[in-house]
Amino acid sequence: MYPARGGAGGPAAAAGGFMPHSLAEQQNKDKLASQDSGAIDSGFDSGYNLSSDNFTSSSSVAAEPVIQASSASQQQKQVEEDSQTFDSGVALESSDKMRMSDMTDLCKSLLQLQMTRKEAKPNPWEPYFLQNDDGDTYLHLAIIHENAEVAAKLIRGASRVWLDIQNDIGQTALHLAVLTEQPRIVRWLLVAGAKPGVRDIEGNTALHLACLHRRNECAKQLLTPLSTAELHPSPAQQSPTKLPQDLEQWNYNGKRCVHIAAETSNIELLRYLVGAGADVNSREGKAGLTPLHIAIENGNEPLVNFLLDECPKLRIEAVTYAGLTAYQLACIQHNQTLQNGLKRRGAEPLSPPESDEETDESDDSMDDEQISSYYGSNAFGSNFAGLSTINVA
């Protein structure tokens, strides 16, 4: 009789009897797994070879802490060495290293500079140059109210940069002195160092405003170089200083000072500008008109004669952006007097080009003639009879 199948691995196996091959193989696998569980790769390379022999040899297992301790001591030594070579920005071992005395001097200089800044007293005039809700300072207000005495004191006590403070519409003290026609204050501001090229909200400098409002005396002060006596009570230099004035500066309408002077028919001021070096042939930014074109458009014969007779650098054949010369513009204006004057002074008598407006008018007249010929002479004047009633029932 055969023994029961389920008892084959029971007591007999425990007593060293017969063990099936599959069960013995499974127990060997479990034993290997339990041994390898301590050798799972952690991803850290300790430098020690984790072979199968190391796990079975007792001597190697005992040596492992020694190897780990040696590795740790090497890492600690490497960290200590690296800590001594971190770059601090100062080459301590270089031939040109900074001496301690130099460091001490540098620290003393910085401390002295800091103490100097703390001890610096504020300018007592500073509160008078704080701006109100409109952006005006006391200097602005003194000039607006034409109080020359107060304005003079404020100008003398002001720092140079305070003279160019702009209010909410971009006006400096120099703009206001021109608008209120106070040439003395204009000169005081220039001597004190005010900048004449500052623009207001419309791009106008003080000289633009002088041309626009015909402030000839203020313009003269703006264009006259500073004398030695004005700059230095005890003169050290011999020649007057030219003001940093840009005569070719446009405002935001594309106008230079010579164009504004021509538009206002201010021959005297235009003479000042040309004498100071302004370009009499410069073109304004919108249509490319020179002062000569502007004078002809306005029919200003005295201004045209001044430009032709007193401005030797005038280019009589200069053209606008539309390609029109001064003579052609005079033809369009039907001004025979200006045409003759230009011809006498050498202008080429060119006929103006046919304008687009005249072409459009001729085309419209031709269309009207065609309609009249088709519908009769009364095509545009006949009464309309109206619509007849339609029975939609």
Side-chain angles (χ1 to χ4, degrees), residues 6-7 19 28 30 66 116 120 138 151 166 177 219-220 253 259 267 282 284 289 294 322 324 336 342 349:
M19 183 180 292
N28 289 333
D30 294 340
V66 178
T116 303
Y138 278 98
Q166 295 175 273
K220 193 172 182 180
N253 287 321
H259 304 123
I267 297 176
S282 64
E284 51 88 28
L289 302 177
I294 294 172
L324 297 174
Q336 192 63 43
L342 290 167

Side-chain angles (χ1 to χ4, degrees), residues 271-293:
R271 186 180 286 112
Y272 288 156
L273 292 168
V274 174
D279 184 9
V280 73
N281 298 302
S282 64
R283 298 191 291 182
E284 51 88 28
K286 291 184 176 179
L289 302 177
T290 66
L292 181 59
H293 292 104

Side-chain angles (χ1 to χ4, degrees), residues 100-367:
M100 277 307 286
S101 59
D102 295 338
M103 291 290 292
T104 305
D105 293 341
L106 180 59
C107 292
K108 287 181 179 179
S109 299
L110 292 175
L111 184 61
Q112 185 177 3
L113 179 60
Q114 186 177 7
M115 294 298 294
T116 303
R117 289 183 176 179
K118 287 182 179 180
E119 293 173 359
K121 295 181 180 179
N123 192 321
W125 293 94
E126 186 173 359
Y128 297 99
F129 289 89
L130 299 176
Q131 295 173 271
N132 63 11
D133 293 340
D134 297 325
D136 292 317
T137 66
Y138 278 98
L139 179 58
H140 289 86
L141 298 175
I143 294 172
I144 290 171
H145 294 287
E146 300 186 11
N147 193 328
E149 184 180 356
V150 173
K153 290 180 179 179
L154 290 170
I155 292 170
R156 284 195 298 269
S159 174
R160 180 173 296 184
V161 69
W162 296 345
L163 300 175
D164 298 320
I165 294 176
Q166 295 175 273
N167 61 16
D168 290 352
I169 56 176
Q171 294 171 335
T172 64
L174 199 57
H175 288 92
L176 296 172
V178 170
L179 289 173
T180 54
E181 202 168 4
Q182 300 182 74
R184 279 196 310 162
I185 296 181
V186 169
R187 199 63 181 177
W188 294 342
L189 288 166
L190 293 173
V191 171
K195 296 179 181 178
V198 180
R199 298 180 178 186
D200 65 7
I201 199 172
E202 295 180 349
N204 291 315
T205 65
L207 188 57
H208 282 93
L209 294 179
C211 297
L212 188 62
H213 297 281
R214 302 178 67 89
R215 306 289 194 254
N216 291 2
E217 284 301 317
C218 293
K220 193 172 182 180
Q221 297 297 332
L222 288 165
L223 294 171
T224 304
L226 298 176
S227 66
T228 305
E230 289 175 318
L231 292 173
H232 306 284
S234 300
Q237 59 184 42
Q238 302 298 324
S239 59
T241 302
K242 189 174 181 180
L243 290 168
Q245 186 76 257
D246 185 5
L247 299 178
E248 307 306 321
Q249 195 170 6
W250 280 346
N251 63 11
Y252 297 151
N253 287 321
K255 304 290 178 63
R256 293 186 172 103
C257 293
V258 290
H259 304 123
I260 299 174
E263 288 176 349
T264 56
S265 303
N266 196 334
I267 297 176
E268 182 184 1
L269 183 51
L270 193 56
R271 186 180 286 112
Y272 288 156
L273 292 168
V274 174
D279 184 9
V280 73
N281 298 302
S282 64
R283 298 191 291 182
E284 51 88 28
K286 291 184 176 179
L289 302 177
T290 66
L292 181 59
H293 292 104
I294 294 172
I296 291 173
E297 271 198 343
N298 295 334
N300 192 334
E301 187 175 349
L303 181 56
V304 172
N305 292 331
F306 161 75
L307 292 168
L308 294 173
D309 297 335
E310 298 187 32
C311 300
K313 294 182 179 180
L314 181 73
R315 292 199 301 267
I316 200 170
E317 299 298 336
V319 296
T320 66
Y321 292 156
L324 297 174
T325 64
Y327 184 85
Q328 290 173 322
L329 202 58
C331 292
I332 293 173
Q333 299 291 328
H334 305 291
N335 193 323
Q336 192 63 43
T337 303
L338 294 180
Q339 292 178 45
N340 294 334
L342 290 167
K343 279 195 296 185
R344 283 198 309 270
R345 292 170 176 85
E348 188 175 356
L350 297 175
S351 299
E354 191 173 336
S355 65
D356 295 335
E357 186 177 351
E358 293 176 358
T359 304
D360 293 340
E361 290 178 357
S362 62
D363 291 342
D364 292 341
S365 62
M366 289 177 62
D367 292 340

Side-chain angles (χ1 to χ4, degrees), residues 364-381:
D364 292 341
S365 62
M366 289 177 62
D367 292 340
D368 294 344
E369 290 176 3
Q370 291 176 357
I371 292 173
S372 298
S373 63
Y374 184 81
Y375 291 103
S377 58
N378 252 351
F380 297 101

